[in-house]
């Protein structure tokens, strides 16, 4: 019996050791629906199961068998690139939070929601028939470069240790955070088919696409909210070339795409934050 036991344990131990030896960054595709934390937990569970760990609990933080984090929250309704740090790679995630990102956003004119996206309740409706494509393109110029932006109330930003979105859902009154400096490197109108319009956005850390679309609607003497949002690039990771789909969440696929980190690149590990 002892011989049989050791022969079954050894491969599991070997697979888990390979997994725990990973250090670096890679990207996965986050679909619409789950939170970024849900995606991270599903990824950890898939990898631990592949390594032979029985009944893995990715949410259990004590004595973690696999150290992993992500570099900036995507809203549950959004999809696209989610950068993941594994092992010492988690210490590099601060560069993902502050670095450049690209998004494609579909906005809808004429309706504003409490969350600034399609998941919320409509709180205002206004006419939009007067808005033309040149109008939108002209207003976009004011949102390019170094600007000041007020973050959404429904966000991952925290007050007294709790996320604002959680406090709002509990019925607490929450005051808007003050405007803060953000950078928009490029902002282009890709398509204009009222009430829908599509923006291509390249921005720095701390920028909220939902706030941009809300502010743009107001600037056009109407209102607007985000209908769809896709992150197409984060740092050096692109949606087309680097983001691993769910069926690719295996050790071999990660080994092929992992960008390893050297000791000189390591930085203090940041808290997770929405960008």
């Amino acid at each position: 019996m002892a011989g049989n036991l050791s022969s079954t344990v050894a491969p599991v131990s070997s697979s888990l050791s390979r997994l725990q030896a990973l250090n670096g960054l890679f990207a996965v595709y986050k679909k619409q629906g789950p939170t970024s934390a849900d995606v991270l937990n599903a990824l950890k569970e898939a990898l631990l199961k592949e390594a032979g760990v029985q009944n893995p609990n990715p949410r259990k933080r004590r004595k973690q068998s696999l150290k992993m984090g992500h570099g900036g929250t995507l809203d549950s309704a959004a999809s696209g690139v989610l950068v993941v740090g594994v092992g010492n790679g988690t210490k590099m995630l601060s560069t993902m939070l502050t670095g450049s990102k690209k998004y494609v956003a579909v906005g809808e004119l004429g309706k504003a929601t409490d969350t600034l996206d399609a998941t919320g309740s409509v709180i205002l409706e206004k006419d939009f028939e007067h808005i033309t494509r040149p109008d939108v393109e002209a207003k976009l110029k004011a949102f390019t470069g170094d600007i000041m932006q007020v973050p959404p109330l429904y966000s991952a930003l925290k007050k007294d240790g709790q996320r604002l979105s959680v406090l709002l859902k509990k019925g607490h009154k929450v005051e808007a955070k003050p405007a803060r400096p953000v950078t928009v490197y490029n902002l282009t109108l890709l398509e204009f088919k009222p009430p829908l319009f599509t923006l291509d956005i390249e921005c720095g850390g701390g920028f909220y696409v939902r706030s941009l679309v809300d502010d743009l609607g107001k600037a056009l003497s109407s209102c607007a909210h985000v209908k769809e949002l896709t992150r197409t690039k984060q740092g050096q990771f692109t949606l087309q070339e680097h983001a691993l789909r769910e069926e690719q969440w295996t050790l071999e696929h990660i080994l092929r795409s992992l960008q390893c980190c050297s000791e000189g690149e390591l930085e203090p590990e940041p808290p997770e934050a929405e960008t």
Side-chain angles (χ1 to χ4, degrees):
M1 291 291 291
N4 291 337
L5 180 63
S6 62
S7 65
T8 56
V9 170
V12 173
S13 177
S14 174
S15 298
L16 186 57
S17 295
R18 289 181 70 201
L19 189 59
Q20 292 171 328
L22 294 176
N23 291 289
L25 299 174
F26 62 99
V28 299
Y29 173 74
K30 180 203 167 301
K31 62 185 179 182
Q32 289 182 325
T35 66
S36 296
D38 290 337
V39 171
L40 192 68
N41 285 326
L43 172 64
K44 289 172 72 173
E45 185 173 1
L47 292 172
L48 289 169
K49 277 187 176 180
E50 183 193 17
V53 177
Q54 298 296 317
N55 302 316
N57 183 357
R59 291 172 174 79
K60 192 172 182 180
R61 292 186 176 273
R62 289 185 182 179
K63 298 182 181 179
Q64 281 190 353
S65 56
L66 182 60
K67 186 179 182 182
M68 193 175 280
H70 66 74
T73 300
L74 264 177
D75 295 332
S76 58
S79 63
V81 177
L82 185 69
V83 174
V84 176
V86 60
N88 285 337
T90 57
K91 297 179 181 179
M92 296 175 64
L93 291 175
S94 58
T95 61
M96 293 296 105
L97 289 169
T98 58
S100 73
K101 305 168 185 68
K102 287 186 177 181
Y103 298 89
V104 172
V106 178
E108 181 176 354
L109 293 164
K111 293 180 180 179
T113 70
D114 52 1
T115 59
L116 311 188
D117 65 13
T119 66
S121 302
V122 175
I123 56 174
L124 178 67
E125 294 190 46
K126 297 186 75 172
D127 291 337
F128 59 86
E129 287 82 0
H130 62 282
I131 301 172
T132 65
R133 184 182 184 111
D135 291 336
V136 179
E137 291 175 331
K139 293 298 183 184
L140 289 180
K141 295 176 182 177
F143 297 99
T144 305
D146 295 325
I147 64 172
M148 298 297 290
Q149 185 186 68
V150 177
L153 285 178
Y154 282 86
S155 71
L157 296 177
K158 294 181 179 180
K159 178 186 178 183
D160 300 329
Q162 291 197 62
R163 291 190 175 197
L164 297 184
S165 56
V166 174
L167 290 172
L168 282 166
K169 289 173 183 176
K170 289 180 178 179
H172 295 281
K173 288 187 177 181
V174 175
E175 293 184 5
K177 292 280 186 178
R180 57 185 187 175
V182 293
T183 302
V184 179
Y185 301 108
N186 288 294
L187 184 55
T188 307
L189 180 63
L190 296 179
E191 192 171 42
F192 183 69
K193 293 183 177 179
L196 303 182
F197 61 95
T198 304
L199 300 175
D200 185 73
I201 306 153
E202 183 177 5
C203 58
F207 181 84
Y208 283 86
V209 176
R210 286 179 291 142
S211 291
L212 166 69
V213 171
D214 181 63
D215 291 339
L216 178 61
K218 293 173 182 174
L220 291 164
S221 300
S222 183
C223 56
H225 69 276
V226 172
K227 190 173 180 67
E228 295 178 19
L229 180 62
T230 304
R231 183 191 281 162
T232 58
K233 188 173 185 287
Q234 185 175 9
Q236 68 269 43
F237 299 97
T238 66
L239 181 59
Q240 297 299 327
E241 295 181 21
H242 303 103
L244 298 177
R245 303 282 169 159
E246 201 163 343
E247 63 271 15
Q248 298 173 310
W249 292 357
T250 66
L251 178 59
E252 290 307 315
H253 277 99
I254 290 172
L255 283 170
R256 286 181 210 150
S257 60
L258 189 70
Q259 300 207 5
C260 298
C261 53
S262 63
E263 288 298 319
E265 293 177 310
L266 300 182
E267 298 180 10
E269 186 174 352
E272 292 178 0
E274 186 170 1
T275 54

